[in-house]
Amino acid sequence: MKGLIGYFLHSYTVSQRFFGPVAGIMITVLILYSYKPNPVMSSYSATAVFLFVACAWLGLSFLNHEQAVQKQVVIVQLRSARRYSIGSLLTLILLTLLLDVIIVIYPVLAGSFQEPAGLQRILLSLAGHALMGLLGITLSLYLQSSWVPRAGYAAGMMLILLILSISAGKVAEVVPGPVVSILLPPVYPVMDRMMNAETLPVSSVLGAYAHALAYIILLAGFYIYRSGRMDYSKTI
């Protein structure tokens, strides 16, 4: 698996498709912290939402960066489409965690906050950013070209899901019941708990994190299961 992840990192780097999402999130974070001082958790909540959007874009560009023939050859060599999918997912998790650490540690080192962040807030922010990034990744899994062949449809669906997920609090006021909280990625609860982490009990924040983690595991698990049953010679 280590060799497969190395291959993915090399091929994705060579394709240069990483530049857009990575540059986008880095520039956004730099602009946000160019004004000092900043409140700690409100700023982290904002950058977590930026990371959610960036990782959805990153995931889609990563999963579509290989040529169809190249992808087919790799799957044949591995003799397992499921192993290919697990390797690509682990590579995306690695990239997400790398961005997570950079985004959380940068304002601390740059002295961008109005007060010391503290270990507890840093740990909550690392976990929150990781979950938000992985939520973006899970959306991209189901919108890659082998699942949604038309790029325009995939981009449109991605945009709609991003907007609805971020504004789920307002959407829930229009659509009563548990529909919104069940169907939409739990971006809004994580964003809200992070923003109000200093006034809410830790259990409330961790509850939102657990909800997001369960959502990620469920979608990633079904993706891996379904990938092993797909005929990629017909879908790519």
Side-chain angles (χ1 to χ4, degrees):
M1 190 56 71
K2 188 183 297 184
L4 181 60
I5 293 173
Y7 159 75
F8 279 133
L9 289 174
H10 179 264
S11 63
Y12 187 48
T13 303
V14 170
S15 75
Q16 299 184 352
R17 292 196 180 191
F18 69 92
F19 183 78
V22 172
I25 183 66
M26 290 303 176
I27 292 171
T28 304
V29 170
L30 288 174
I31 292 174
L32 175 68
Y33 290 119
S34 63
Y35 300 95
K36 301 179 183 179
N38 296 276
V40 180
M41 293 310 294
S42 295
S43 301
Y44 276 144
S45 177
T47 54
V49 174
F50 297 153
L51 187 61
F52 165 65
V53 176
C55 281
W57 182 9
L58 179 81
L60 209 54
S61 70
F62 173 84
L63 295 166
N64 293 337
H65 83 278
E66 286 183 296
Q67 297 292 327
V69 175
Q70 183 183 358
K71 184 174 183 177
Q72 185 67 32
V73 168
V74 176
I75 292 175
V76 170
Q77 288 183 334
L78 292 172
R79 299 178 181 178
S80 171
R82 189 166 292 161
R83 191 177 181 196
Y84 177 93
S85 299
I86 293 173
S88 61
L89 184 56
L90 290 176
T91 306
L92 283 170
I93 291 173
L94 183 64
L95 294 173
T96 300
L97 294 179
L98 179 62
L99 289 173
D100 171 16
V101 172
I102 293 172
I103 292 171
V104 172
I105 298 301
Y106 168 74
V108 177
L109 297 179
S112 302
F113 293 136
Q114 60 190 12
E115 57 185 327
L119 181 60
Q120 179 176 321
R121 289 190 291 194
I122 289 176
L123 292 177
L124 286 176
S125 300
L126 283 170
H129 280 76
L131 291 169
M132 293 284 264
L134 293 177
L135 284 171
I137 295 297
T138 54
L139 290 185
S140 68
L141 296 177
Y142 293 90
L143 295 174
Q144 59 181 291
S145 60
S146 55
W147 290 63
V148 181
R150 293 194 176 187
Y153 287 174
M157 291 170 65
M158 175 69 80
L159 184 61
I160 292 171
L161 285 171
L162 292 176
I163 293 172
L164 289 177
S165 301
I166 295 170
S167 60
K170 295 295 182 183
V171 177
E173 295 175 2
V174 180
V175 183
V179 177
V180 173
S181 60
I182 292 175
L183 293 183
L184 288 179
V187 171
Y188 179 79
V190 175
M191 176 181 68
D192 180 65
R193 299 304 190 284
M194 287 183 70
M195 186 178 297
N196 299 293
E198 292 169 299
T199 57
L200 292 172
V202 176
S203 58
S204 176
V205 181
L206 296 181
Y209 284 10
H211 178 197
L213 182 61
Y215 191 93
I216 291 165
I217 292 174
L218 185 64
L219 261 65
F222 180 75
Y223 166 74
I224 292 170
Y225 165 77
R226 187 69 184 86
S227 297
R229 302 176 68 86
M230 286 183 67
D231 184 353
Y232 281 88
S233 63
K234 295 180 180 179
T235 57
I236 60 178

